[in-house]
Amino acid sequence: MRLGFIGLGAMGRPMALQLLRAGHQLELWARRPDSLRPLLEQGARACASPAELAGCAEVVFTMVTTSDDVAAIALGPDGLIQGAPAGSIHVDMSTISPQAARRIAGRLAEKDIAMLDAPVSGGVAAARAGTLAVMVGGEAGIFSRVRPLLETLGKTIVHVGGHGAGQVAKACNQMVMVASIEACAEALRLAAASGVDAGRVRSALLGGAAGSVVLEVFGGRMAARDFQAGVEARLHHKDFAILMHEASRLGCPLPVAGQVWQQINALMAHGWGGLDSVSLLKVLELAHA
Amino acid sequence: MRLGFIGLGAMGRPMALQLLRAGHQLELWARRPDSLRPLLEQGARACASPAELAGCAEVVFTMVTTSDDVAAIALGPDGLIQGAPAGSIHVDMSTISPQAARRIAGRLAEKDIAMLDAPVSGGVAAARAGTLAVMVGGEAGIFSRVRPLLETLGKTIVHVGGHGAGQVAKACNQMVMVASIEACAEALRLAAASGVDAGRVRSALLGGAAGSVVLEVFGGRMAARDFQAGVEARLHHKDFAILMHEASRLGCPLPVAGQVWQQINALMAHGWGGLDSVSLLKVLELAHA
């Protein structure tokens, strides 16, 4: 199938490669043309703008950072909306606000362009392995058509509901994940304060009711004191701004998420936004110093 | 081996049964003799006091509720210390404070009775299946001798450190677990407030970086709105009192655990201590009503 892909960052690059390896023709556009090179060498083709790209693809994927990025690519002067044929599909896999996803979908619908919000979880390792969790919002008929493509990228593909529902699920995902990272950091901090080996505590917890992907992956980084980025904390900071704003808009109290948010703010204030979110442990250690 | 077992509650009963089925001779004592009957029918023997029980067992297990319960059984007038031969071992599998565990171990050591703190995680289902996670504190030599018995009860047996280290690990376990239950409740509450199906959000999250035993088990109960007890919330309330007191004693800040504690207090204030801790979701719903 002729596909478009925009957003060749740490996550997007391996995802685009999966689609290419699955035998699809891939049209690319990037703000920084340098980032295209590895994929061009594998047979992808460069376009001059999102509008041109949209003109030669049945389905366009975007994987960028902010709501504004997606809006500019989809609706801007040289945006997808200027070139996409009626009946084509835009699948946005970025993590943006549910409200922005609904608004962009509404604008594209006016030109008979379908949209799905389809953010992912699992990180770079899962992107490389094609084992991401994909949370999809949008029309069921469109989801059915795109599903085989999503199965190239992920192993858990769930149609959560209408437009924005994928982003709601992703907000929930980030809340649970970062709250778990913080809880794990507090547990290992308490262990250390008690004179008990944090790594052994983690091992003891892994087999019980506190067992989780976060304890396995992020707890492992904490025990090894590896604060280099798997996922940069500044991205979780961005995600929390989205979800806490959404909760505020809905009048939905999230007491623990609110407290986690303040810990992430403390992390950012220390200048650690480029490190992994396991640096939440360092925030606790400073407070204790 | 001749073993003693005290504390035949929801967790203790299936654990005692595992030991009996593994071919050990089991001496029992209970405050309420009624609770002994099912095990006596399977060949266990009743004793008149903890002291008498200790006199005919090489290793005595206790599985009760509070630090005071363990102290009374171990050190009270008719306690284990009155009858246990030098060289015998007391394995306390209750969840109590690390300080209490260290204090009791110290008193027993004066009579050459060894002690391990060996609290567990996994709940009644894991107790029945013999697949508990067991977190052990105490001397390595004693741990080695008792390990085969613990393997009858659990599948993850970790020697965490010296006296009290098992209880520190258990405090960490409860913190991470209940914080995860609360985070899960907040996520599903946000989903519902957004008009998105909570069950589908849970399914979407299970395959990603937010995946956990809590999301699987407790998230499933929340999606099904099953608030009946798996583990009664009042026990988590007790566990949080222990761990927050311990953190305070050590001057160790636990911002998210502190917030979780207040949500559990709200749950208790609503009279829901006999329900499952997934009732934390109901606390959020009331606040939103």
Side-chain angles (χ1 to χ4, degrees), chain A residues 121 172 186-187 209 211 213 251 256-257 288, chain B residues 121 172 186-187 209 211 213 251 256-257 288:
Chain A
S121 177
C172 293
E186 293 188 14
V213 175
V256 160
H288 196 261
Chain B
S121 176
C172 293
E186 293 189 13
V213 175
V256 160
H288 195 261

Side-chain angles (χ1 to χ4, degrees), chain B residues 141-196:
Chain B
I142 301 297
F143 171 67
S144 299
R145 282 172 56 195
V146 170
R147 186 177 186 126
L149 297 170
L150 297 178
E151 283 170 348
T152 304
L153 303 173
K155 76 170 197 300
T156 315
I157 322 286
V158 177
H159 181 228
V160 183
H163 292 302
Q167 295 297 350
V168 169
K170 180 65 189 279
C172 293
N173 187 81
Q174 299 307 83
M175 182 198 306
V176 170
M177 181 175 65
V178 184
S180 298
I181 296 171
E182 170 66 20
C184 187
E186 293 189 13
L188 298 191
R189 182 73 200 87
L190 179 63
S194 304
V196 174

